[in-house]
């Protein structure tokens, strides 16, 4: 394909408005998000085709199986009907013949490819029954002596109804009109060893024949590096700006750690671990600030995050503010309520409880206590708390197991939800003279899912991170065994033995993603089967369809030790804390993801008793499932598990494509381009401090209207 001829400039494209092409094309381009000249210029090829050379047919057929371009004159052109209707065209050059075979074709092709026509054909050469052939080659009709392109031919991501030819024309036009200024100062490019923007973009659209094709393919070519760097820089700048915007919001400094904090610490039946102590110090310092904390508290399952949350809440309460703790599930919210209320109520701190299981009247009472400020701490599920609860003076929001919340919910929490929740904190005419500066509560997010460093630097770039990297003392490590499902009888015997020793067991039912009804059925069946197999034990059942009050009863019976075995669906996945449970059985473990298995396993090993986790699997195991189960057997370290998870799945899936921020990165890859992420982060930091004009220019080019998305 020869490079398209330059067309008259379309004025509006350069000024950032849609190009004045025939509307249909413009519409199709717009559907790909290609509205302006810069959009088109940054629509970079996925790959290239080398049409710069023609090889003799004999040489191409000798290369068999690889791609080649040949040129020849049509010697025959027939529609054949066996084994099915197809167009068979033979071409020949001085070295020999080659068959082009088309299984789908237009009638017009028979005339287009009439005998004597000269064509260039490109495709994979195979050895067919009649010698060398290409099935569905790309071809074009040419005149003898037509020049070969001197650049590799780009292949662009295209949408429906958009041909490569059309895209190439549109991009070619855009390149002719683009305002080519480099958003980065020359000195900076030189210091970072970056190729100039214009040179990089032009090269990627039109690589000279002698370019290092491998580097282009791998996207390691300096031109690609420049694109990736620019993209990552835009992402970092945007995230850092969001962080600054947050700092420009006000928050009530929570400076007192007096009675409640001290009494709670004194009343705890244990000493904080050094790691808990350290993160608490970090959180306390944040809460002192007059702008809202956004801190992620990471700690492996069982590392003791809840008590840290309670101590943060105590600081808010000591400072005269209310605090709220949200959990993703009823069971977890309930458990937090029991545990934390037991800590705080003896100290005279009223704790309110908001959940779906409350009767209307109880709920109204709770809401009234929250609004009047009587309740100092509110615990519940996020759904209820976000429903527009009025606070008297909210100072701190704690979100437990934040990785369980969807992206939408997280965005709502971090932006709108927070503002809504916070609307009552400081009215616009507040007497403290803060005028119309919106004040929002401090926010602490907790998660047991460790975030790999690159992701933390991108998606979470505007969060501070604290890590509890140590488990409370006295825990014996959990022993994990991978057991074939057909040894179920032995497993049941093991459950029986554990119960006889006064310990308790979870039995997690298989995950059935296709059907909740089926999953429920399985749980019910498993419960019946286990109860029948263990007539002298009490077997409980908890699943997502139980009414909240029923769930509560089942959980309480298990916590009190009245049931020996708790058959459960994944509703128990997060947070559930029953230290006496020391045996975890997971059926069809091969169906669960790594982080889910880790979370489930984390329900045991919480007391002093040696705990065991049995992963039952159905053979044969696929390679990925095998890798996961081996990982579980080899390590109980959440960070290591997350690292392997990332290895097995890649960052896109690690947090869900959108959550990782990867989806917003078109060119860079968080895994392979980690070194660039770090460079981009440092550069962003430097530019924000010293060069606001460059920041604005760069963001305008790379993000335009997309900036909002990055904050999710
Ligand atoms: P997670 O970090 O998974 O939320 P939890 O907060 O549920 O962990 O704590 C796990 C268990 O460890 C709880 O029973 C909790 O009371 C206990 N615990 C927390 N901190 C300590 C500590 N410093 N010493 C001993 N036990 C602790
Ligand atoms: Mg927890």
């Amino acid at each position: 394909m020869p490079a398209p001829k330059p067309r008259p400039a379309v004025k509006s494209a350069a000024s950032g408005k849609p190009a004045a092409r025939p509307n249909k094309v413009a519409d199709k381009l717009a559907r790909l998000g290609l509205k302006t000249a810069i959009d088109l210029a940054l629509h970079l090829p996925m790959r290239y085709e080398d049409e710069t050379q023609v090889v003799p047919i004999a040489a191409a057929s000798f290369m068999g199986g690889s791609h080649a371009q040949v040129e020849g004159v049509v010697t025959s052109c027939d529609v054949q009907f066996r084994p099915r209707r197809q167009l068979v065209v033979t071409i020949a050059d001085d070295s020999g013949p080659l068959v082009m075979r088309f299984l789908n074709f237009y009638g017009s092709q028979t005339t287009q490819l009439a005998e004597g026509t000269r064509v260039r054909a490109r495709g994979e050469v195979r050895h067919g029954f009649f010698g060398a052939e290409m099935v569905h080659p790309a071809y074009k009709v040419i005149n003898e002596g037509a020049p070969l392109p001197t650049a590799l031919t780009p292949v662009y991501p295209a949408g429906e109804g958009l041909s490569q030819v059309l895209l190439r024309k549109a991009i070619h036009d855009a390149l002719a009109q683009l305002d080519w200024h480099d958003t980065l100062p020359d000195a900076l490019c030189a210091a970072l060893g970056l190729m100039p923007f214009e040179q990089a973009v032009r090269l990627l659209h039109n690589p000279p024949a002698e370019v290092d094709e491998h580097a282009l393919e791998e996207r390691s070519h300096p031109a690609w590096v420049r694109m990736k760097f620019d993209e990552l820089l835009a992402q970092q700048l945007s995230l850092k700006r969001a962080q600054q915007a947050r700092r420009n919001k006000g928050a009530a400094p929570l400076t007192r750690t007096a009675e409640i904090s001290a009494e709670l610490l004194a009343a705890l039946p244990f000493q904080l671990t050094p790691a808990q102590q350290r993160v608490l110090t970090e959180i306390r310092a944040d809460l002192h600030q007059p702008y809202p904390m956004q801190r992620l508290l990471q700690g492996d399952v069982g590392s003791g995050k809840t008590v840290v949350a309670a101590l943060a809440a105590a600081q808010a309460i000591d400072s005269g503010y209310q605090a709220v703790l949200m959990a993703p599930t009823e069971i977890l919210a309930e458990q937090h309520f029991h545990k934390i209320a037991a800590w705080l109520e003896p100290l005279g701190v009223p704790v309110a409880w908001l959940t779906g299981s409350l009767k209307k009247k109880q709920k109204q009472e709770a809401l009234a206590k929250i609004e009047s400020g009587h309740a100092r701490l509110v615990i519940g599920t996020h759904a209820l708390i976000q429903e527009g609860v009025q606070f008297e003076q909210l100072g701190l929001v704690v979100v437990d197991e934040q990785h369980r919340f969807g992206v939408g919910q997280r965005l709502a929490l971090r932006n709108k939800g927070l503002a809504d929740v916070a609307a009552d904190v400081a009215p616009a005419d507040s007497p403290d003279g803060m005028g119309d500066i919106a004040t929002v509560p401090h926010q602490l997010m907790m998660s047991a899912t460790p975030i790999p460093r690159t992701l933390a630097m991108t998606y979470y770039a505007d969060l501070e991170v604290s890590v509890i990297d140590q488990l409370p003392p006295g825990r014996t490590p959990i022993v994990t065994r991978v057991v074939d499902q057909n040894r179920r009888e032995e497993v049941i015997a093991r459950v029986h033995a554990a119960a006889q020793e006064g310990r308790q067991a979870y039995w997690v039912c298989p995950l059935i993603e296709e059907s909740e009804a089926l999953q429920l059925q399985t749980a019910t069946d498993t419960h019946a089967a286990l109860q029948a197999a263990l007539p002298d034990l009490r077997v409980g059942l908890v699943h997502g369809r139980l009414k909240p009050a029923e769930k509560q009863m089942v959980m309480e019976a298990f916590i009190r030790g009245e049931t020996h075995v708790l058959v459960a669906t994944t509703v128990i996945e997060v947070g559930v804390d029953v230290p006496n449970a020391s045996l975890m059985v997971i059926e069809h473990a091969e169906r669960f993801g790594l982080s889910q298995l880790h979370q489930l396993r984390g329900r045991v090993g919480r007391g002093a008793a040696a705990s065991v986790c049995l992963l039952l699997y159905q053979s044969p195991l696929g390679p990925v499932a095998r890798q996961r189960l081996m990982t579980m057997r080899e390590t109980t370290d959440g960070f290591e598990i997350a690292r392997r998870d990332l290895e097995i799945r890649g960052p896109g899936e690690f947090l869900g494509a959108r959550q990782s921020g990867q989806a917003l990165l078109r060119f860079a890859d968080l895994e392979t381009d980690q070194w660039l992420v770090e460079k981009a982060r440092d550069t962003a930091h430097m530019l924000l401090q010293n060069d606001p004009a460059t920041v604005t220019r760069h963001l305008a080019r790379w993000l335009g209207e997309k900036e909002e998305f990055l904050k999710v």
Side-chain angles (χ1 to χ4, degrees):
M1 175 72 37
K5 288 199 193 72
R7 289 168 23 140
V10 183
K11 269 192 193 129
S12 55
S15 60
K17 295 201 194 87
R21 283 199 186 75
N23 271 338
K24 271 197 187 150
V25 179
D27 284 352
K28 285 177 189 162
L29 289 172
R31 242 172 277 148
L32 281 183
L34 306 177
K35 297 179 187 157
T36 63
I38 187 69
D39 293 341
L40 284 158
L42 295 179
H43 192 64
L44 297 175
M46 310 182 280
R47 59 188 173 84
Y48 300 90
E49 276 166 6
D50 188 351
E51 301 176 0
T52 62
Q53 283 173 37
V54 165
V55 295
I57 287 175
S61 92
F62 180 70
M63 293 179 339
S66 59
H67 279 261
Q69 177 168 250
V70 298
E71 182 176 323
V73 175
V74 177
T75 56
S76 72
C77 174
D78 300 304
V79 177
Q80 296 181 357
F81 291 92
R82 261 180 295 182
R84 50 178 282 200
R85 190 169 175 271
Q86 52 186 290
L87 176 65
V88 179
V89 181
T90 307
I91 61 170
D93 66 8
D94 294 344
S95 71
L98 175 130
V99 169
M100 305 199 297
R101 196 179 291 280
F102 300 91
L103 301 172
N104 297 305
F105 60 98
Y106 295 108
S108 61
Q109 277 175 287
T110 53
T111 38
Q112 186 198 21
L113 292 168
E115 256 180 64
T117 310
R118 178 172 287 272
V119 294
R120 261 180 210 150
R122 207 162 27 76
E124 193 183 324
V125 188
R126 294 204 211 142
H127 291 285
F129 198 65
F130 301 104
E133 72 170 35
M134 286 183 183
V135 177
H136 278 272
Y139 73 91
K140 58 180 177 277
V141 174
I142 53 153
N143 295 319
E144 193 166 1
L148 285 162
T150 52
L152 297 182
T153 308
V155 180
Y156 294 104
E160 213 175 299
L162 258 182
S163 70
Q164 289 294 323
V165 178
L166 258 170
L167 262 172
R168 279 176 207 148
K169 275 210 176 79
I171 289 169
H172 185 269
D173 291 353
L175 296 186
Q177 306 143 24
L178 192 68
D179 170 7
W180 279 108
H181 71 268
D182 206 305
T183 53
L184 305 181
D186 293 348
L188 181 65
C189 288
L192 292 168
L194 292 174
M195 183 182 269
F197 179 75
E198 175 167 5
Q199 190 188 340
V201 173
R202 288 197 187 277
L203 186 143
L204 290 173
H205 286 294
N206 245 346
E210 70 277 7
V211 78
D212 178 350
E213 261 186 84
H214 186 65
L216 275 190
E217 200 96 336
E218 294 254 280
R219 301 197 166 187
S220 59
H221 191 282
W224 270 120
V225 171
R226 173 66 202 257
M227 293 298 111
K228 295 179 186 185
F229 178 82
D230 276 20
E231 177 180 54
L232 288 167
L233 178 64
Q235 188 194 38
Q236 292 292 321
L237 287 171
S238 166
L239 288 165
K240 287 235 156 76
R241 279 225 306 215
Q243 185 180 30
Q244 280 176 353
R246 167 166 66 78
R247 295 212 165 178
N248 291 338
K249 288 195 187 124
L254 307 175
T255 51
R256 271 173 65 85
T257 44
E259 299 81 8
I260 306 299
S261 304
E263 286 171 29
L264 174 54
L265 261 179
L268 288 176
F270 48 73
Q271 296 258 307
L272 294 186
T273 61
Q276 285 171 318
Q277 194 71 59
R278 188 188 66 243
V279 301
L280 183 62
T281 308
E282 289 164 358
I283 292 166
R284 284 189 166 168
D286 276 6
L287 294 177
H288 276 253
Q289 302 305 321
Y291 55 83
M293 167 172 82
Q294 284 272 355
R295 190 170 278 277
L296 177 66
L297 175 56
Q298 262 177 239
D300 208 347
V301 287
S303 63
K305 296 182 289 292
T306 316
V307 66
V308 175
L311 285 161
Q315 182 166 343
I317 298 163
D318 273 334
S319 307
Y321 286 82
Q322 289 167 297
V324 55
L325 171 60
M326 306 192 211
T329 66
E330 285 256 338
I331 288 185
L332 186 52
E334 165 101 34
Q335 180 189 293
H336 280 326
F337 174 68
H338 285 304
K339 177 166 247 171
I340 296 174
W343 283 335
L344 289 179
E345 291 200 321
L347 308 179
V349 178
V351 182
W353 164 228
L354 259 190
T355 160
S357 60
L358 289 182
K359 302 230 165 56
K360 199 170 172 203
K361 186 155 162 279
Q362 294 171 305
K363 190 174 168 191
Q364 276 166 353
E365 275 172 23
L367 288 173
K369 281 183 187 160
I370 298 166
E371 188 169 357
S372 71
H374 174 76
R376 305 314 294 164
L377 176 61
V378 183
I379 297 176
T381 52
H382 62 90
L384 284 159
I385 288 169
Q386 279 183 287
E387 254 172 30
V389 180
Q390 303 282 314
F391 289 86
E392 187 232 355
Q393 270 209 317
L394 181 62
L396 171 68
V397 176
V398 183
V399 184
D400 194 19
E401 305 290 352
Q402 75 104 31
H403 64 282
R404 291 288 303 246
F405 292 88
V407 178
Q409 285 168 326
R410 278 190 240 176
L411 182 66
L413 283 175
R414 278 168 71 172
N415 298 337
K416 175 180 162 293
L418 263 189
D420 285 356
V421 170
D424 312 296
V425 178
D429 58 349
S430 62
D432 58 8
M434 293 187 89
D436 53 10
I437 298 176
T439 60
V440 298
H442 296 278
Q443 193 173 351
L444 178 65
M445 282 149 284
M446 307 203 289
S447 175
T449 304
I451 295 142
R453 192 172 140 71
T454 8
L455 291 187
M457 282 191 322
T458 52
Y459 172 54
Y460 288 110
D462 71 328
L463 291 187
E464 259 68 59
V465 180
S466 291
V467 181
I468 306 183
D469 52 5
Q470 173 177 48
L471 294 180
R475 303 266 170 94
T476 38
I478 305 167
V479 174
T480 301
R481 298 218 187 292
V482 177
V483 182
D484 194 309
Q485 194 94 16
N486 63 25
R487 289 171 55 196
R488 216 161 171 266
E489 296 304 316
E490 290 167 51
V491 174
I492 293 174
R494 186 132 191 187
V495 170
H496 192 251
Q500 301 241 293
E501 287 169 29
R503 284 180 287 117
Q504 292 168 279
Y506 295 98
W507 188 291
V508 177
C509 295
L511 181 70
I512 303 172
E513 280 184 334
E514 311 80 278
S515 157
E516 205 198 331
L518 212 54
Q519 173 145 349
L520 197 63
Q521 186 60 49
T522 315
T524 318
D525 293 350
T526 308
H527 175 249
L530 278 180
Q531 185 62 84
L534 299 166
D536 56 331
L537 302 187
R538 266 185 307 275
V539 184
L541 171 65
V542 65
H543 55 71
R545 280 295 182 82
L546 289 183
K547 294 210 178 71
E550 294 169 332
K551 258 189 235 171
Q552 188 175 333
M553 269 168 48
V554 176
M555 287 311 294
E556 277 171 9
F558 191 62
I559 290 167
R560 284 196 301 265
E562 291 165 13
T563 34
H564 304 94
V565 186
L566 184 62
V567 175
T569 57
T570 48
V571 292
I572 60 147
E573 179 183 338
V574 292
V576 171
D577 183 37
V578 181
N580 191 48
S582 63
L583 178 57
M584 166 65 66
V585 181
I586 303 177
E587 275 200 81
H588 280 288
E590 76 278 2
R591 295 188 193 166
F592 293 89
L594 255 186
S595 68
Q596 212 171 11
L597 288 173
H598 180 58
Q599 279 280 354
L600 285 168
R601 179 172 61 183
R603 297 312 110 219
V604 296
R606 299 182 155 247
S611 292
V612 175
C613 173
L614 302 177
L615 302 174
L616 270 53
Y617 69 92
Q618 178 83 56
S619 51
L621 275 180
V624 171
R626 172 179 302 274
Q627 249 181 310
R628 281 201 297 254
L629 297 186
M630 292 305 115
T631 299
M632 287 298 292
R633 198 177 60 183
E634 283 160 24
T635 178
T636 53
D637 176 346
F639 280 82
E640 178 60 16
I641 286 173
R643 198 184 60 69
R644 302 232 198 142
D645 204 16
L646 188 67
E647 234 169 59
I648 301 174
R649 295 200 288 164
E653 264 189 68
F654 185 77
L655 294 169
R658 288 210 45 203
Q659 299 175 22
S660 69
Q662 179 70 60
L664 293 160
L665 293 173
R666 289 183 286 164
F667 309 135
D669 179 311
L670 289 180
E671 215 169 353
T672 55
D673 299 322
Q674 181 158 352
W675 63 286
L676 268 179
V677 176
E678 294 183 20
K679 266 192 179 186
R681 189 194 47 174
D682 296 345
T683 308
H685 187 72
M686 186 275 290
L687 289 174
L688 282 166
Q689 299 224 309
N690 308 327
D691 193 351
T694 295
V695 172
T696 309
R697 250 198 332 263
H698 194 76
L699 284 177
R701 170 169 285 165
W702 280 89
L703 289 183
E705 64 210 42
K706 298 186 202 87
E707 190 165 5
E708 256 308 304
F709 285 112
L710 277 173
K711 294 180 193 149
V712 178

